[in-house]
Amino acid sequence: MVKPIKAVAAVALAGLALAACGGGSSGAAGDGGGKKVVISTDLPLQGASKDASDSTNNAIKLYLEQVGNKAGDYTVELKTYDNSTAAKGAWDDATCAKNAQEHVANTAEVAVMGTFNSGCAKIEVPVLNQDPTGPMLMVSHANTNPGLTKTWDPGEPQKYYPSGTRNYARVVTTDDYQGAAAAIYAQEKLGVKSVYILNDNQTYGQGVGKSFETKAAALGIKVIANEPWDAKQANYTALFNKINAAKPDMVYLAGIYDNNGGQLVKDKVAVLGDNAGAVKLMGPDGFTGYPELNKLPQAQGMYLTFAGLTTDQLKAGGGAAAKLLEDYKAKYGADPASNYALYGVAAVQVILAAIEKSDGSRKSVTEQVLSGTGISIPADKAAIGKEIKIDPATGDTTAIDISVEVIKDNKETFVAAQTVS
């Protein structure tokens, strides 16, 4: 992280010098002197996550239109960034680092909505944190790795905030809750007594796999193994033959669908049988929001958890969330492809509330969220149908919602809300 962070400081200082000379900052309010600001989204727009990201961007655009592109006295423009590559078909480390530098260099930009993947956030947050005009705020709608805000792996979360001041918040709960909730549901509702965990060897997958393993063991579920799968493998027949010999009641896929998850699901069923049979299949929210997965015959009966309230629940709850979903369908012809779409809007609501209270500078926008009383969006206005409250000490949301779904008839269907303490 050292080289990119140093580089971004140089880029930002150069940008500030240009602004001081009167160039490259048309309509900018990054220094608090204007009434026009830019917010951005930073999402994977290529590969398997494209549908989820597109629906999130569309929901945000719709919401901004509905509020007149205003935050108090400020006019708000939206800029979208892509943190994926066509070659990888998923989020990319180098692209995330490059995006972080571009966020800082764009002097009109005051806050970032994103990222989708926790690993990308861990690259970008420290760069935004060292912005000489900030720190610059990032609010995520989907990062669930605990280490971004609380003690988890060594050095976390302090290493993401080298300035000593926090600049990151999120509107979803974390994987220490999600993994635990999945283990509770597996034992109580599915009767699972033994499990084989596969993780994708990335930040998110390792984290949610660790949480699931810890809670499963505490509940008396036998954890046969927790090992990585290789996303570059042509097939996983040999892997599942090995798992078959261990005779688990369930396979838990801790990771993201982008990492060859479709092939993994196909080969699970080919070797261990369908998901309603003797060996259940479960995955976390890294497998939600993928129409391609939902249409796989082999995915039917797969259980999923989601770190929030699903689109089905938001519709049923009525209010602002249901109205936004109704408007979304009227404009785009279908429901959002991802449960996270409205959480993207919720993250933007936090950003807009911070802008309205601020002097228009990056530093001030960040301070509204992560100091004082923080930001609260009342339930009757919140895009997720319940109060959004950010703890200014940590950046975490006070809401702990875990939903369980099952893939049935080629779509994700809500099954239960799983409580976890």
Side-chain angles (χ1 to χ4, degrees):
M1 286 306 303
V2 176
K3 290 182 179 178
I5 291 170
K6 288 182 177 177
V8 74
V11 170
L13 289 171
L16 289 173
L18 284 172
C21 295
S25 59
S26 174
D31 61 358
K35 289 293 184 182
K36 182 178 180 182
V37 296
V38 174
I39 65 172
S40 64
T41 62
D42 196 311
L43 304 169
L45 302 179
Q46 302 174 82
S49 293
K50 174 178 170 55
D51 288 332
S53 297
D54 285 348
S55 63
T56 300
N57 277 336
N58 285 339
I60 290 169
K61 291 173 185 176
L62 173 61
Y63 179 75
L64 287 173
E65 289 173 8
Q66 292 180 341
V67 297
N69 289 91
K70 300 287 286 184
D73 293 332
Y74 294 95
T75 297
V76 179
E77 291 185 0
L78 178 68
K79 179 176 175 61
T80 60
Y81 290 76
D82 182 4
N83 60 40
S84 63
T85 63
K88 192 172 180 181
W91 75 275
D92 174 71
D93 297 55
T95 306
C96 291
K98 178 175 177 289
N99 283 2
Q101 296 187 31
E102 291 184 0
H103 290 309
V104 174
N106 182 359
T107 57
E109 191 175 328
V110 297
V112 183
M113 197 304 293
T115 59
F116 183 69
N117 302 96
S118 297
C120 184
K122 289 186 176 185
I123 293 170
E124 294 199 24
V125 171
V127 178
L128 304 184
N129 185 259
Q130 294 178 86
D131 168 23
T133 67
M136 188 175 187
L137 177 67
M138 175 178 277
V139 183
S140 176
H141 65 314
N143 295 159
T144 53
N145 183 268
L148 283 158
T149 54
K150 62 183 82 172
T151 300
W152 190 245
D153 287 334
E156 292 182 336
Q158 292 82 3
K159 65 183 180 181
Y160 306 118
Y161 310 105
S163 74
T165 301
R166 295 203 183 200
N167 61 308
Y168 172 86
R170 51 183 156 197
V171 294
V172 290
T173 194
T174 49
D175 287 331
D176 43 347
Y177 294 108
Q178 180 177 196
I184 293 169
Y185 188 85
Q187 185 210 43
E188 293 183 352
K189 303 299 182 183
L190 303 179
V192 170
K193 294 182 172 59
S194 62
V195 65
Y196 204 109
I197 303 169
L198 295 173
N199 72 77
D200 66 0
N201 211 28
Q202 290 189 351
T203 296
Y204 163 75
Q206 290 173 334
V208 73
K210 169 185 172 182
S211 175
F212 182 94
E213 177 182 9
T214 300
K215 188 63 175 181
L219 292 171
I221 297 174
K222 180 182 178 182
V223 179
I224 299 168
N226 183 353
E227 66 181 62
W229 81 76
D230 181 359
K232 296 180 180 179
Q233 287 294 311
N235 68 76
Y236 300 97
T237 302
L239 173 61
F240 282 111
N241 278 328
K242 180 179 75 170
I243 293 173
N244 191 36
K247 301 190 181 305
D249 295 330
M250 171 181 278
V251 173
Y252 182 75
L253 303 181
I256 59 175
Y257 176 72
D258 310 59
N259 286 329
N260 210 13
Q263 189 63 47
L264 204 64
V265 170
K266 290 176 185 177
D267 291 337
K268 181 272 172 189
V269 171
V271 177
L272 302 180
D274 68 69
N275 303 318
V279 184
K280 303 293 189 290
L281 183 63
M282 178 179 271
D285 60 326
F287 277 77
T288 65
Y290 294 96
E292 180 183 339
L293 170 65
N294 294 339
K295 293 174 184 176
L296 280 180
Q298 298 90 340
Q300 307 309 303
M302 179 180 182
Y303 287 92
L304 304 169
T305 54
F306 173 66
L309 303 172
T310 68
T311 299
D312 288 344
Q313 291 171 280
L314 295 178
K315 282 182 181 178
K323 178 64 167 58
L324 186 56
L325 285 169
E326 180 183 321
D327 293 342
Y328 183 100
K329 190 167 187 177
K331 180 162 187 173
Y332 299 111
D335 287 332
S338 169
N339 291 321
Y340 278 122
L342 260 60
Y343 279 82
V345 176
V348 165
Q349 288 183 311
V350 170
I351 291 171
L352 296 184
I355 291 171
E356 183 174 357
K357 292 172 63 178
S358 78
D359 64 12
S361 69
R362 291 174 177 176
K363 182 176 184 292
S364 180
V365 171
T366 300
E367 287 174 344
Q368 308 313 312
V369 180
L370 292 153
S371 66
T373 57
I375 294 291
S376 296
I377 309 296
D380 63 340
K381 295 182 179 178
I384 55 172
K386 62 187 301 183
E387 183 187 29
I388 304 165
K389 186 171 179 60
I390 303 297
D391 181 349
T394 64
D396 277 326
T397 178
T398 57
I400 301 172
D401 296 303
I402 304 293
S403 302
V404 180
E405 301 179 294
V406 67
I407 298 177
K408 181 180 179 182
D409 298 328
N410 300 327
K411 64 180 182 179
E412 295 172 26
T413 303
F414 173 72
V415 175
Q418 180 61 55
T419 58
V420 59
S421 60

